[in-house]
């Protein structure tokens, strides 16, 4: 019985072709992105975050729900330095509601 091995590059190409998420290790370490991030404001239609440590940049990602259709979409705040505030807004507060938030970082 022989074992057939598929090269990693072919597996990654296949995953990308079908839209699967692929984890790629980069040269940036975890210490080169902001940390200690928290919400400084969470209203029914927007979220503002900041991070305690850097370097790098961060932006808020707010999950917004349409009160009429129930559909959800993500609203992003601007990329900012670690000690600045990033605010994401859901649009009309009479229609959209912020249901949760997260953040993205980059070196």
């Amino acid at each position: 019985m022989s074992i057939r091995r598929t090269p990693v590059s072919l597996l990654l190409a296949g995953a990308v072709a079908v839209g699967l998420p692929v984890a790629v290790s980069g040269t940036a370490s975890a210490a080169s992105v902001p940390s200690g991030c928290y919400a400084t404001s969470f209203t029914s239609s927007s979220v503002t975050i900041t991070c305690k440590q850097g370097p790098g940049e961060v932006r808020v990602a707010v999950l917004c729900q349409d009160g009429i259709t129930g559909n959800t979409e993500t609203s992003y705040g601007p990329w900012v330095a670690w000690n600045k505030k990033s605010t994401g807004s859901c649009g009309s507060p009479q229609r959209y509601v912020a249901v949760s938030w997260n953040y993205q970082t980059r070196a």
Side-chain angles (χ1 to χ4, degrees):
M1 173 164 79
S2 75
I3 298 174
R4 184 174 178 198
R5 297 180 185 207
T6 304
V8 173
S9 60
L10 290 178
L11 291 174
L12 289 175
V16 171
V18 296
L20 297 175
V22 177
V24 179
S25 68
T27 57
S29 68
S32 66
V33 295
S35 62
C37 303
Y38 60 97
T40 60
S41 172
F42 189 120
T43 70
S44 62
S45 63
S46 69
V47 178
T48 300
I49 67 159
T50 191
C51 299
K52 292 182 179 182
Q53 299 176 354
E57 294 181 307
V58 63
R59 73 175 177 176
V60 68
V62 183
L63 182 64
C64 304
Q65 185 172 30
D66 184 323
I68 296 173
T69 65
N71 294 336
T72 59
E73 60 184 53
T74 303
S75 172
Y76 296 94
W79 287 105
V80 296
W82 63 270
N83 60 342
K84 303 294 182 190
K85 294 180 179 180
S86 178
T87 301
S89 177
C90 292
S92 172
Q94 294 82 14
R95 181 164 177 172
Y96 293 95
V97 176
V99 293
S100 67
W101 65 275
N102 207 332
Y103 60 89
Q104 298 175 331
T105 59
R106 68 181 181 188

